Amino acid sequence: MTLPIIYIDAELPSMPRSSRTTQPFWQALAEGRFLLQQCKGCGSLRFPPGAICQSCPESKAQWIDVCGKGTLYALTTIHAGPPPLMRDGPYTRAIVDLDEGVRLIAEWHGDPETPFDTAVELIVSRYNNGCLFGARSVPSK
Ligand SMILES: [Zn+2]
């Protein structure tokens, strides 16, 4: 499943850290896919990527593609922070519950007054120097 991609003509103020554990996630995101890790021991899904399961002692995991659909759990707008992050003024982050049952934080691309439980989708935010993931309300058809 390929996520919608939006292009942002700006530089990321800070690059996400990539490690041996997280590199497959960032590679897939650059290709428009969003991956979760699934524990090979108990089958639980996790995000962010990590070296061990949070539910059992298993360290082996496989990557699975998600559909990128979910619901909005909460929004918060940040008004103060380090200068690089405040370059464009206040910014909003969303807490999203994916349909797969994983909760995560994402850039919010939409009205900061969007009601909770709104149907949302993940998107790829492609900056001039890298990618992040974000969320927005599911566009009406
Ligand atoms: Zn496990």
Side-chain angles (χ1 to χ4, degrees), residues 39-44 46 53-58 60:
C39 175
K40 287 190 172 180
C42 68
S44 68
R46 63 180 186 253
C53 182
Q54 297 166 348
S55 302
C56 79
E58 180 61 59
K60 293 189 175 85

Side-chain angles (χ1 to χ4, degrees):
M1 173 116 202
T2 303
L3 303 179
I5 298 173
I6 62 168
Y7 296 90
I8 300 172
D9 187 18
E11 304 291 315
L12 279 169
S14 64
M15 294 296 288
R17 283 194 289 172
S18 183
S19 68
R20 190 173 52 146
T21 301
T22 63
Q23 194 277 338
F25 170 80
W26 293 112
Q27 176 67 40
L29 189 70
E31 296 166 1
R33 298 162 42 228
F34 195 92
L35 302 181
L36 295 176
Q37 284 180 309
Q38 183 173 39
C39 175
K40 287 190 172 180
C42 68
S44 68
L45 298 172
R46 63 180 186 253
F47 188 85
I52 58 170
C53 182
Q54 297 166 348
S55 302
C56 79
E58 180 61 59
S59 61
K60 293 189 175 85
Q62 63 188 3
W63 294 97
I64 63 162
D65 274 275
V66 301
C67 69
K69 305 292 187 207
T71 56
L72 183 62
Y73 177 79
L75 289 172
T76 185
T77 298
I78 292 91
H79 294 273
L85 295 178
M86 300 309 297
R87 176 184 68 194
D88 302 320
Y91 59 95
T92 302
R93 293 293 178 260
I95 300 175
V96 172
D97 288 332
L98 294 180
D99 288 352
E100 290 81 3
V102 171
R103 180 172 286 170
L104 53 82
I105 298 174
E107 293 185 314
W108 179 246
H109 296 272
D111 182 349
E113 301 297 325
T114 301
F116 306 142
D117 291 329
T118 295
V120 299
E121 64 183 2
L122 295 179
I123 60 174
V124 175
S125 317
R126 186 163 287 161
Y127 290 82
N128 295 332
N129 59 340
C131 293
L132 289 179
F133 57 93
R136 66 181 181 190
S137 301
V138 174
S140 45
K141 300 185 178 185

